Amino acid sequence: MLVRHPRLWRGLAFAVPALLLFALLVDLRIDAQRNEFREIADQAFDRLSQADRNSLAMLNALAATYQGMNDFDASRLSGLAASIRQANPGTRLIAFAAWVPGGEASQFVEQMVEEGYPTFRIRGDGPHLLASGREGYLPIRFLEPNDPRLLGLLGGDLVRDPADVALMRRLIGAGRPIILSDWSPADRFAEDIFYGVPTYRGFFVPSSRRDRLQQVDGVFVLSLSPTALLAGLNRHFPSVRFALVRGRASLARVDGEYPKLSWLVGEHALIQLELRQPVFAGSRVLHATRSLAAPDLLGLWVVAPPVGLGLAMLVLVVALQNRVQAREESRRKGRELELERHRADGAMRSISDAVIMLDEDYRVRYLNRVAEEMLGCTADRAAGKPADQLLELIDVLNGCPLQELHGWLERMCEGETGPEVLLNNHFREQLPVNIRVSRLEGHDHGGLVLAIRDTSHEYELNARLSYQASHDDLTGLLNRSAFEQRVRAVLSQQDASDAIHALVFVDLDRFKLINDTYGHEAGDQLLRMVTEVLQNGLRDDDCIGRMGGDEFAVLMRAPDMTIVGELADRLRKRLESMRFLWSGHVIDVHASLGVVPVDAELGGFDEIMKNADMACHAAKEAGRNTVHVFQPDDRVVGERRRQVQWLPRLQQALENDQFVLYRQAIWPVRKTDGEGPAFYEFLVRLRDSDGTDIAPGLFLPAAERFDMMRCLDRRVIALAMEAMGDPDCMPPGSRCTINLSGQTLTDEGLIDYIAEQARRCEVTPDRVCFEITETAAITNLEVARKLAGRLRAMRFRLMLDDFGAGMSSLGYLHNLQVDYIKIDGQFVRNAVTDPLSAVSVRMICEIAQVLGLETIAEMIEDNATVLSMRKHGVDYLQGFDLSRPEPVPRSRRLRLAYSR
Amino acid sequence: MALLGAEAQALPRCLFVSSYHQGYSWSDGVQRGLEDALEGKCQLRQFDMDTKRHKAEAEKRAAALAAKALIEAWKPDVVITADDNAARYLIVPYYKDAKLPFVFCGINWSVNEYGFPFSNVTGMIEVAPVRALLKEARQLSGGHDRFFYLGADTATERKNLARFRKAAAGLGIQAESRLVDSPRDWLDAFAEAQGFPFLVLGSQAGITGWDFAQMRAAIGDKARTLTVTNHQWMMPLAMLGFTKLPEEQGDWAGRTALAILDGTPPAEIPIIANRRWDLWLNSSLLARAGIRLPDKLSSKAKQWQDTP
């Protein structure tokens, strides 16, 4: 409660006692003020009473003095009256009115004039009957002080109206001083308090009232000025305001209410004390008031103690609140700590790392759940055990247990990188772990925290990644990079023995055809099968890798290259004996193998691989399914080397326009007289610097190998179009065929280039037929199909060259939509002697007829073949026996160029 | 000083016109009383008509005109005059019922001859305690009913003498008198008076060549009869004095002037007489004359001391 509304309670703690004490002190203060006020009022009353008594006494004395002397003249009276005025503050005047019998008024006035009062007159409506048988006046003949402002009273009759008659008769009859209530000699003195005392003839006051009325001589009058009296009172008691008012019983003092207290009576007054007391024989009421403003009541001693008490209570409550708050805060923090502990425990339990907390003596203080499972020990049982009893760490590098675990932990804590370690778990398994050690900062007793992460999964993952990085996904063999590492390792090691290392390069023959024919899945399966066959044929220490596509390499160690050759041939035979069954088809698999020594003296890895590749190509060129063992003076390999040397020459020839066209006529199989060739096939030659033309067989392999066929084909197309557009080169209306290599099929700008050249040379498309080899078309079947479609759309013709060599399905013929089929020359050349070739030719012709295609038989070298082809239904013939290739005359452009 | 000057300028102006001159004891006493009453309450300026020493009628009128010229030039708010000549030659001819208020003092016995009261005039008449003096002198001289009056031959003294005669008549006393113009005549008259029961000395003012020291020396031991006076300044030559107080005249005139300045019309302030007198005795002369006063009187009266 105290803490829920702290400000409220603090305010109450301050305000309530402060207000109570304040009220008490204010009440005491008021009480004190009332007492003080009462004392002052009583003193004022006493002063007025004293003035009253003094006035009576002095007036009585004056009268007695006057009474007792017979020569009491004005000078003496003046001195005496002045003394009385001085002795009795508040006395405004002392007057003497002489009794003037009614018949002596004139005489009295004359006497006054004679004495120096020339303007003296008796003023009044008298004479009045003041006693039985005695009428007269009581004119004032003497005044003290001799103030010009008062002198107007001279001559005034004390009896101003009939009511005064009784008063004067009472006064004269009394023979002693009395207060002349409600009487004044003039209106302007109406507020004064007048006393009167009569004087009589003779030295003594007559004893009887009757005699006093008969023997009256005059009357002394004394007045007290309320203004002067109040000024004196206010001067002496400045804190109280006094007033004298006429009044009597109604203003009498009432016990129990005296002095009266009123609240908020003025603009600035908080309270007003009021006292009324009759004075001057009840003719006046002394009205005393005292207004007390806040500062009068709220002095320092009134304000300070409540504030002090309030502050003290405030401090007490604040201290109490702080204590309660501190207790609640402590409880709240305890709950939060407990919650945090639960959370931390939950977090510890939720994290995958094992967490072990050690005290400063390296004894176990805490294990989380993972640590419990990892170490096979509960936290309770582990608590207090030395760390080196619980943790058995093995150095990965040497396989030995870690010595000096404590020192190792401290070094790890300092950031030192330790060796990879294994942890013996409770199953006695060695887990690869990563241990991070940190110090319990700020903890009272220090200690260490070990975060142990089981890195088995990462370890396996790394191993798998490493494996994947070094192995081929499809076959599981080493990939090229890993294999290279092995070869380089061999090259860098010096083998003291006589054994040699060799590399066997395996390239499957016509794998692409299989892959394209039966699909990649078949190709992949074939590769896996080949891998298995190869692995089964290898020795334990042989190392095999997949170099890419259908290429494999085996690193062997053998006494000499002969044995390596034998081992390679053994592999070839294994592959040859392999039968790959796919979708009901039995596919023969064979490969060409190149063998090269792995010897640092013969070059590095790249050189070795180049040699192996050339050896493998040599094996392929040797008819495939063979093994070619590289020799330093190897001819075939030397040829391959020469191909490499063709590269700069080809580039130079393209740049210098050194290629020229030859043409070979293609004749109808049943030629009529005078009929010219149906086509001319343009053939390319490289004109050497000595003017000789180099056959394409020498440079085309190099061009194909070094991917220069696109450029070369474009140059042939340009030359052919120029020739076809030049009647001096080609007979008008003649048709031609232009060969497109497999590389050119993928030339995306080819169609536009052909169209541009035809337009440039004004050659109609129907005069040009493009030849694509069956192998190239099959290899790039989809590209070939699109190309064929676009060429036909432009009305160019298309011919499938070397048809039959691929031994492929004939289904693609329909998709390619070719116009002509040029039968593979091997079939044509052997058709006369080889029945299979003859059947093949006949079957091809029959298929062509079904598809509406025309066939061309090339490599016609003799008349028997002409007859055979004619028999099989071939439409056109081409060969040395009919027309040898001849140079095409230079076109107009070339002529102009050479003429310059 | 400038501030004080400014304050003085803001005070009302009070002009005091003395019938006589400074150095004349009566006039000096009136002046003291006046100055005490007015001090700090108005600007007081004094004009002395000096008619005691310049008694010619023309001189008195000229002095009155000079006073009038001063009044018109200085424009006082109230004018206070002392003694008869100022009333006679200044107030009556020039300021009867005028707006300018006048307060007179020192006019002997009566104002009837001036026609007062005027609406703008009030004042205090100078009255001597003649009756008391005569009664005391007769009693001291053995109850004789005659006396000798000696004074200057001036209008004032004539009025005084008349008052004495009237008062004496009331008491049944006969008066012989001599009003003189010279010290010698005065001494002769003094010698003559030694044959009377008591001598009343009037004022010597107006006697040409008067010198108190010489006159005191001249009378020497010749004074045998009781010599009384109403004038304090005559005490060197008198044995008993019932003297008026000139300060009372000046004080009252001053307070009345202030009342007028405070708004009280002069007509509302009655003309009154002075009422104070004092009792003096000259022990030296009494001793020389062999006169012994009753203890009641000698112990009450103030002792006159001749200035050396």
Side-chain angles (χ1 to χ4, degrees), chain A residues 73 75 114-117 119 142-144 146 148 151, chain B residues 125 163 166 252 255-256 270-273 275-277:
Chain A
D73 57 16
S75 181
E114 186 68 21
E115 291 180 0
Y117 295 84
T119 56
F142 172 83
L143 272 172
E144 177 62 31
N146 202 16
L151 292 176
Chain B
I125 294 172
R163 282 287 166 177
K166 187 174 183 179
W252 189 89
R255 288 190 287 115
T256 301
I271 298 170
I272 62 170
R275 60 190 187 187
R276 293 185 180 181
W277 52 270

PDB file of all heavy atoms in Angstrom, chain A residues 73 75 114-117 119 142-144 146 148 151, chain B residues 125 163 166 252 255-256 270-273 275-277:
ATOM      1  N   ASP A  73      -8.625  84.647  40.536  1.00  0.00           N
ATOM      2  CA  ASP A  73      -8.829  85.340  39.267  1.00  0.00           C
ATOM      3  C   ASP A  73      -8.446  84.445  38.092  1.00  0.00           C
ATOM      4  O   ASP A  73      -8.026  83.298  38.238  1.00  0.00           O
ATOM      5  CB  ASP A  73      -8.030  86.635  39.261  1.00  0.00           C
ATOM      6  CG  ASP A  73      -6.550  86.386  39.509  1.00  0.00           C
ATOM      7  OD1 ASP A  73      -6.116  85.206  39.379  1.00  0.00           O
ATOM      8  OD2 ASP A  73      -5.833  87.329  39.832  1.00  0.00           O
ATOM      9  N   SER A  75      -6.022  84.592  36.044  1.00  0.00           N
ATOM     10  CA  SER A  75      -4.634  84.192  35.905  1.00  0.00           C
ATOM     11  C   SER A  75      -4.350  82.927  36.694  1.00  0.00           C
ATOM     12  O   SER A  75      -3.706  81.994  36.205  1.00  0.00           O
ATOM     13  CB  SER A  75      -3.733  85.334  36.380  1.00  0.00           C
ATOM     14  OG  SER A  75      -2.387  84.990  36.234  1.00  0.00           O
ATOM     15  N   GLU A 114     -15.647  95.071  30.215  1.00  0.00           N
ATOM     16  CA  GLU A 114     -14.708  95.896  30.950  1.00  0.00           C
ATOM     17  C   GLU A 114     -13.406  95.147  31.192  1.00  0.00           C
ATOM     18  O   GLU A 114     -12.317  95.727  31.190  1.00  0.00           O
ATOM     19  CB  GLU A 114     -15.338  96.324  32.281  1.00  0.00           C
ATOM     20  CG  GLU A 114     -14.525  97.303  33.080  1.00  0.00           C
ATOM     21  CD  GLU A 114     -14.437  98.672  32.406  1.00  0.00           C
ATOM     22  OE1 GLU A 114     -15.319  98.970  31.552  1.00  0.00           O
ATOM     23  OE2 GLU A 114     -13.496  99.426  32.678  1.00  0.00           O
ATOM     24  N   GLU A 115     -13.497  93.866  31.338  1.00  0.00           N
ATOM     25  CA  GLU A 115     -12.301  93.075  31.631  1.00  0.00           C
ATOM     26  C   GLU A 115     -11.533  92.680  30.360  1.00  0.00           C
ATOM     27  O   GLU A 115     -10.564  91.932  30.420  1.00  0.00           O
ATOM     28  CB  GLU A 115     -12.693  91.820  32.411  1.00  0.00           C
ATOM     29  CG  GLU A 115     -13.159  92.144  33.825  1.00  0.00           C
ATOM     30  CD  GLU A 115     -13.544  90.902  34.597  1.00  0.00           C
ATOM     31  OE1 GLU A 115     -13.437  89.784  34.012  1.00  0.00           O
ATOM     32  OE2 GLU A 115     -13.916  91.019  35.768  1.00  0.00           O
ATOM     33  N   GLY A 116     -12.029  93.228  29.266  1.00  0.00           N
ATOM     34  CA  GLY A 116     -11.231  92.972  28.050  1.00  0.00           C
ATOM     35  C   GLY A 116     -11.888  92.021  27.066  1.00  0.00           C
ATOM     36  O   GLY A 116     -11.208  91.504  26.161  1.00  0.00           O
ATOM     37  N   TYR A 117     -13.172  91.778  27.215  1.00  0.00           N
ATOM     38  CA  TYR A 117     -13.874  90.904  26.279  1.00  0.00           C
ATOM     39  C   TYR A 117     -14.968  91.717  25.598  1.00  0.00           C
ATOM     40  O   TYR A 117     -16.147  91.608  25.926  1.00  0.00           O
ATOM     41  CB  TYR A 117     -14.468  89.698  27.021  1.00  0.00           C
ATOM     42  CG  TYR A 117     -13.409  88.781  27.610  1.00  0.00           C
ATOM     43  CD1 TYR A 117     -12.843  89.066  28.840  1.00  0.00           C
ATOM     44  CD2 TYR A 117     -12.979  87.655  26.911  1.00  0.00           C
ATOM     45  CE1 TYR A 117     -11.863  88.250  29.370  1.00  0.00           C
ATOM     46  CE2 TYR A 117     -12.006  86.831  27.452  1.00  0.00           C
ATOM     47  CZ  TYR A 117     -11.442  87.125  28.667  1.00  0.00           C
ATOM     48  OH  TYR A 117     -10.467  86.319  29.173  1.00  0.00           O
ATOM     49  N   THR A 119     -16.470  91.667  22.925  1.00  0.00           N
ATOM     50  CA  THR A 119     -17.496  91.000  22.117  1.00  0.00           C
ATOM     51  C   THR A 119     -18.270  89.972  22.934  1.00  0.00           C
ATOM     52  O   THR A 119     -19.054  89.210  22.381  1.00  0.00           O
ATOM     53  CB  THR A 119     -16.855  90.293  20.919  1.00  0.00           C
ATOM     54  OG1 THR A 119     -15.859  89.390  21.389  1.00  0.00           O
ATOM     55  CG2 THR A 119     -16.219  91.310  19.981  1.00  0.00           C
ATOM     56  N   PHE A 142     -14.739  81.481  31.168  1.00  0.00           N
ATOM     57  CA  PHE A 142     -13.320  81.143  31.222  1.00  0.00           C
ATOM     58  C   PHE A 142     -13.099  79.847  30.438  1.00  0.00           C
ATOM     59  O   PHE A 142     -13.887  78.908  30.526  1.00  0.00           O
ATOM     60  CB  PHE A 142     -12.890  80.959  32.675  1.00  0.00           C
ATOM     61  CG  PHE A 142     -11.497  80.417  32.821  1.00  0.00           C
ATOM     62  CD1 PHE A 142     -10.387  81.275  32.749  1.00  0.00           C
ATOM     63  CD2 PHE A 142     -11.266  79.058  32.997  1.00  0.00           C
ATOM     64  CE1 PHE A 142      -9.116  80.770  32.891  1.00  0.00           C
ATOM     65  CE2 PHE A 142      -9.988  78.555  33.117  1.00  0.00           C
ATOM     66  CZ  PHE A 142      -8.910  79.414  33.073  1.00  0.00           C
ATOM     67  N   LEU A 143     -12.019  79.828  29.672  1.00  0.00           N
ATOM     68  CA  LEU A 143     -11.684  78.623  28.894  1.00  0.00           C
ATOM     69  C   LEU A 143     -10.194  78.368  28.988  1.00  0.00           C
ATOM     70  O   LEU A 143      -9.376  79.288  28.923  1.00  0.00           O
ATOM     71  CB  LEU A 143     -12.048  78.801  27.417  1.00  0.00           C
ATOM     72  CG  LEU A 143     -13.462  78.428  26.996  1.00  0.00           C
ATOM     73  CD1 LEU A 143     -13.682  78.866  25.562  1.00  0.00           C
ATOM     74  CD2 LEU A 143     -13.684  76.923  27.117  1.00  0.00           C
ATOM     75  N   GLU A 144      -9.899  77.177  29.199  1.00  0.00           N
ATOM     76  CA  GLU A 144      -8.508  76.756  29.126  1.00  0.00           C
ATOM     77  C   GLU A 144      -8.468  75.498  28.259  1.00  0.00           C
ATOM     78  O   GLU A 144      -9.215  74.544  28.539  1.00  0.00           O
ATOM     79  CB  GLU A 144      -7.952  76.452  30.529  1.00  0.00           C
ATOM     80  CG  GLU A 144      -6.530  75.936  30.541  1.00  0.00           C
ATOM     81  CD  GLU A 144      -5.522  76.912  29.972  1.00  0.00           C
ATOM     82  OE1 GLU A 144      -5.745  78.131  30.094  1.00  0.00           O
ATOM     83  OE2 GLU A 144      -4.542  76.460  29.364  1.00  0.00           O
ATOM     84  N   ASN A 146      -6.529  78.729  26.133  1.00  0.00           N
ATOM     85  CA  ASN A 146      -6.980  79.972  25.529  1.00  0.00           C
ATOM     86  C   ASN A 146      -6.821  79.881  24.013  1.00  0.00           C
ATOM     87  O   ASN A 146      -6.161  80.700  23.380  1.00  0.00           O
ATOM     88  CB  ASN A 146      -6.161  81.121  26.116  1.00  0.00           C
ATOM     89  CG  ASN A 146      -6.862  82.456  25.976  1.00  0.00           C
ATOM     90  OD1 ASN A 146      -8.059  82.502  25.712  1.00  0.00           O
ATOM     91  ND2 ASN A 146      -6.117  83.532  26.158  1.00  0.00           N
ATOM     92  N   PRO A 148      -7.730  79.965  20.237  1.00  0.00           N
ATOM     93  CA  PRO A 148      -8.666  80.748  19.419  1.00  0.00           C
ATOM     94  C   PRO A 148      -9.819  79.916  18.881  1.00  0.00           C
ATOM     95  O   PRO A 148     -10.912  80.428  18.691  1.00  0.00           O
ATOM     96  CB  PRO A 148      -7.783  81.263  18.291  1.00  0.00           C
ATOM     97  CG  PRO A 148      -6.402  81.261  18.846  1.00  0.00           C
ATOM     98  CD  PRO A 148      -6.343  80.108  19.789  1.00  0.00           C
ATOM     99  N   LEU A 151     -12.423  79.649  21.641  1.00  0.00           N
ATOM    100  CA  LEU A 151     -12.924  80.871  22.277  1.00  0.00           C
ATOM    101  C   LEU A 151     -14.352  81.194  21.889  1.00  0.00           C
ATOM    102  O   LEU A 151     -15.024  82.005  22.548  1.00  0.00           O
ATOM    103  CB  LEU A 151     -12.010  82.047  21.936  1.00  0.00           C
ATOM    104  CG  LEU A 151     -10.603  81.947  22.581  1.00  0.00           C
ATOM    105  CD1 LEU A 151      -9.724  83.097  22.117  1.00  0.00           C
ATOM    106  CD2 LEU A 151     -10.733  81.951  24.096  1.00  0.00           C
TER     107      LEU A 151
ATOM    108  N   ILE B 125      -6.671  92.017  23.896  1.00  0.00           N
ATOM    109  CA  ILE B 125      -6.523  93.322  24.568  1.00  0.00           C
ATOM    110  C   ILE B 125      -5.558  93.158  25.728  1.00  0.00           C
ATOM    111  O   ILE B 125      -5.526  92.118  26.376  1.00  0.00           O
ATOM    112  CB  ILE B 125      -7.898  93.813  25.046  1.00  0.00           C
ATOM    113  CG1 ILE B 125      -8.799  94.112  23.834  1.00  0.00           C
ATOM    114  CG2 ILE B 125      -7.757  95.043  25.930  1.00  0.00           C
ATOM    115  CD1 ILE B 125     -10.238  94.407  24.218  1.00  0.00           C
ATOM    116  N   ARG B 163      -7.772 103.690  33.666  1.00  0.00           N
ATOM    117  CA  ARG B 163      -8.137 102.374  34.193  1.00  0.00           C
ATOM    118  C   ARG B 163      -7.877 102.322  35.692  1.00  0.00           C
ATOM    119  O   ARG B 163      -8.654 101.744  36.461  1.00  0.00           O
ATOM    120  CB  ARG B 163      -7.327 101.301  33.476  1.00  0.00           C
ATOM    121  CG  ARG B 163      -7.864 100.982  32.120  1.00  0.00           C
ATOM    122  CD  ARG B 163      -9.171 100.189  32.252  1.00  0.00           C
ATOM    123  NE  ARG B 163      -9.881 100.148  30.992  1.00  0.00           N
ATOM    124  CZ  ARG B 163     -11.015  99.481  30.791  1.00  0.00           C
ATOM    125  NH1 ARG B 163     -11.568  98.828  31.813  1.00  0.00           N
ATOM    126  NH2 ARG B 163     -11.608  99.494  29.625  1.00  0.00           N
ATOM    127  N   LYS B 166     -10.431 104.215  37.557  1.00  0.00           N
ATOM    128  CA  LYS B 166     -11.714 103.532  37.602  1.00  0.00           C
ATOM    129  C   LYS B 166     -11.687 102.380  38.591  1.00  0.00           C
ATOM    130  O   LYS B 166     -12.613 102.160  39.384  1.00  0.00           O
ATOM    131  CB  LYS B 166     -12.065 103.032  36.215  1.00  0.00           C
ATOM    132  CG  LYS B 166     -13.468 102.456  36.125  1.00  0.00           C
ATOM    133  CD  LYS B 166     -13.803 102.101  34.677  1.00  0.00           C
ATOM    134  CE  LYS B 166     -15.222 101.583  34.566  1.00  0.00           C
ATOM    135  NZ  LYS B 166     -15.556 101.276  33.175  1.00  0.00           N
ATOM    136  N   TRP B 252      -0.525  84.348  21.812  1.00  0.00           N
ATOM    137  CA  TRP B 252      -1.920  84.207  21.408  1.00  0.00           C
ATOM    138  C   TRP B 252      -2.133  84.738  20.000  1.00  0.00           C
ATOM    139  O   TRP B 252      -2.840  84.139  19.192  1.00  0.00           O
ATOM    140  CB  TRP B 252      -2.815  84.963  22.399  1.00  0.00           C
ATOM    141  CG  TRP B 252      -4.268  84.675  22.147  1.00  0.00           C
ATOM    142  CD1 TRP B 252      -5.013  83.687  22.668  1.00  0.00           C
ATOM    143  CD2 TRP B 252      -5.132  85.426  21.268  1.00  0.00           C
ATOM    144  NE1 TRP B 252      -6.300  83.732  22.198  1.00  0.00           N
ATOM    145  CE2 TRP B 252      -6.389  84.813  21.318  1.00  0.00           C
ATOM    146  CE3 TRP B 252      -4.935  86.563  20.474  1.00  0.00           C
ATOM    147  CZ2 TRP B 252      -7.485  85.289  20.592  1.00  0.00           C
ATOM    148  CZ3 TRP B 252      -6.044  87.022  19.743  1.00  0.00           C
ATOM    149  CH2 TRP B 252      -7.303  86.386  19.804  1.00  0.00           C
ATOM    150  N   ARG B 255      -0.932  82.134  17.575  1.00  0.00           N
ATOM    151  CA  ARG B 255      -1.817  80.963  17.433  1.00  0.00           C
ATOM    152  C   ARG B 255      -3.114  81.342  16.726  1.00  0.00           C
ATOM    153  O   ARG B 255      -3.679  80.557  15.974  1.00  0.00           O
ATOM    154  CB  ARG B 255      -2.102  80.367  18.808  1.00  0.00           C
ATOM    155  CG  ARG B 255      -0.856  79.652  19.379  1.00  0.00           C
ATOM    156  CD  ARG B 255      -1.166  78.844  20.621  1.00  0.00           C
ATOM    157  NE  ARG B 255      -1.400  79.716  21.775  1.00  0.00           N
ATOM    158  CZ  ARG B 255      -2.564  79.817  22.403  1.00  0.00           C
ATOM    159  NH1 ARG B 255      -3.592  79.125  22.012  1.00  0.00           N
ATOM    160  NH2 ARG B 255      -2.694  80.626  23.456  1.00  0.00           N
ATOM    161  N   THR B 256      -3.582  82.569  16.974  1.00  0.00           N
ATOM    162  CA  THR B 256      -4.802  83.014  16.300  1.00  0.00           C
ATOM    163  C   THR B 256      -4.557  83.206  14.802  1.00  0.00           C
ATOM    164  O   THR B 256      -5.404  82.861  13.965  1.00  0.00           O
ATOM    165  CB  THR B 256      -5.286  84.322  16.935  1.00  0.00           C
ATOM    166  OG1 THR B 256      -5.531  84.101  18.337  1.00  0.00           O
ATOM    167  CG2 THR B 256      -6.573  84.805  16.283  1.00  0.00           C
ATOM    168  N   PRO B 270     -13.436  85.441  19.152  1.00  0.00           N
ATOM    169  CA  PRO B 270     -13.753  86.650  19.923  1.00  0.00           C
ATOM    170  C   PRO B 270     -12.506  87.393  20.367  1.00  0.00           C
ATOM    171  O   PRO B 270     -11.432  86.802  20.535  1.00  0.00           O
ATOM    172  CB  PRO B 270     -14.527  86.106  21.115  1.00  0.00           C
ATOM    173  CG  PRO B 270     -14.094  84.705  21.252  1.00  0.00           C
ATOM    174  CD  PRO B 270     -13.799  84.216  19.864  1.00  0.00           C
ATOM    175  N   ILE B 271     -12.691  88.711  20.534  1.00  0.00           N
ATOM    176  CA  ILE B 271     -11.607  89.513  21.074  1.00  0.00           C
ATOM    177  C   ILE B 271     -11.577  89.267  22.573  1.00  0.00           C
ATOM    178  O   ILE B 271     -12.606  89.349  23.251  1.00  0.00           O
ATOM    179  CB  ILE B 271     -11.829  90.995  20.772  1.00  0.00           C
ATOM    180  CG1 ILE B 271     -11.828  91.206  19.240  1.00  0.00           C
ATOM    181  CG2 ILE B 271     -10.775  91.870  21.442  1.00  0.00           C
ATOM    182  CD1 ILE B 271     -12.286  92.590  18.826  1.00  0.00           C
ATOM    183  N   ILE B 272     -10.429  88.936  23.061  1.00  0.00           N
ATOM    184  CA  ILE B 272     -10.315  88.610  24.473  1.00  0.00           C
ATOM    185  C   ILE B 272      -9.208  89.452  25.097  1.00  0.00           C
ATOM    186  O   ILE B 272      -8.453  90.132  24.382  1.00  0.00           O
ATOM    187  CB  ILE B 272     -10.034  87.116  24.701  1.00  0.00           C
ATOM    188  CG1 ILE B 272      -8.690  86.721  24.069  1.00  0.00           C
ATOM    189  CG2 ILE B 272     -11.166  86.270  24.118  1.00  0.00           C
ATOM    190  CD1 ILE B 272      -8.225  85.332  24.461  1.00  0.00           C
ATOM    191  N   ALA B 273      -9.100  89.321  26.385  1.00  0.00           N
ATOM    192  CA  ALA B 273      -8.040  90.025  27.117  1.00  0.00           C
ATOM    193  C   ALA B 273      -7.015  89.005  27.579  1.00  0.00           C
ATOM    194  O   ALA B 273      -7.306  87.819  27.696  1.00  0.00           O
ATOM    195  CB  ALA B 273      -8.616  90.770  28.307  1.00  0.00           C
ATOM    196  N   ARG B 275      -4.834  87.171  30.352  1.00  0.00           N
ATOM    197  CA  ARG B 275      -5.317  86.780  31.671  1.00  0.00           C
ATOM    198  C   ARG B 275      -4.185  86.325  32.572  1.00  0.00           C
ATOM    199  O   ARG B 275      -4.417  85.780  33.639  1.00  0.00           O
ATOM    200  CB  ARG B 275      -6.365  85.701  31.538  1.00  0.00           C
ATOM    201  CG  ARG B 275      -5.865  84.449  30.869  1.00  0.00           C
ATOM    202  CD  ARG B 275      -7.020  83.519  30.566  1.00  0.00           C
ATOM    203  NE  ARG B 275      -6.569  82.246  30.076  1.00  0.00           N
ATOM    204  CZ  ARG B 275      -7.390  81.317  29.608  1.00  0.00           C
ATOM    205  NH1 ARG B 275      -8.700  81.571  29.552  1.00  0.00           N
ATOM    206  NH2 ARG B 275      -6.924  80.179  29.209  1.00  0.00           N
ATOM    207  N   ARG B 276      -2.978  86.505  32.126  1.00  0.00           N
ATOM    208  CA  ARG B 276      -1.863  86.083  32.956  1.00  0.00           C
ATOM    209  C   ARG B 276      -1.111  87.315  33.471  1.00  0.00           C
ATOM    210  O   ARG B 276      -0.926  88.282  32.724  1.00  0.00           O
ATOM    211  CB  ARG B 276      -0.920  85.170  32.169  1.00  0.00           C
ATOM    212  CG  ARG B 276      -1.550  83.839  31.823  1.00  0.00           C
ATOM    213  CD  ARG B 276      -0.534  82.933  31.165  1.00  0.00           C
ATOM    214  NE  ARG B 276      -1.144  81.642  30.816  1.00  0.00           N
ATOM    215  CZ  ARG B 276      -0.493  80.656  30.256  1.00  0.00           C
ATOM    216  NH1 ARG B 276       0.786  80.816  29.945  1.00  0.00           N
ATOM    217  NH2 ARG B 276      -1.100  79.529  30.010  1.00  0.00           N
ATOM    218  N   TRP B 277      -0.715  87.243  34.611  1.00  0.00           N
ATOM    219  CA  TRP B 277       0.185  88.248  35.163  1.00  0.00           C
ATOM    220  C   TRP B 277       1.095  87.569  36.144  1.00  0.00           C
ATOM    221  O   TRP B 277       0.845  86.449  36.595  1.00  0.00           O
ATOM    222  CB  TRP B 277      -0.558  89.418  35.783  1.00  0.00           C
ATOM    223  CG  TRP B 277      -1.636  89.061  36.811  1.00  0.00           C
ATOM    224  CD1 TRP B 277      -2.931  88.831  36.569  1.00  0.00           C
ATOM    225  CD2 TRP B 277      -1.452  88.936  38.215  1.00  0.00           C
ATOM    226  NE1 TRP B 277      -3.626  88.542  37.708  1.00  0.00           N
ATOM    227  CE2 TRP B 277      -2.720  88.600  38.750  1.00  0.00           C
ATOM    228  CE3 TRP B 277      -0.347  89.083  39.084  1.00  0.00           C
ATOM    229  CZ2 TRP B 277      -2.933  88.416  40.128  1.00  0.00           C
ATOM    230  CZ3 TRP B 277      -0.598  88.893  40.442  1.00  0.00           C
ATOM    231  CH2 TRP B 277      -1.856  88.557  40.953  1.00  0.00           C
TER     232      TRP B 277
END
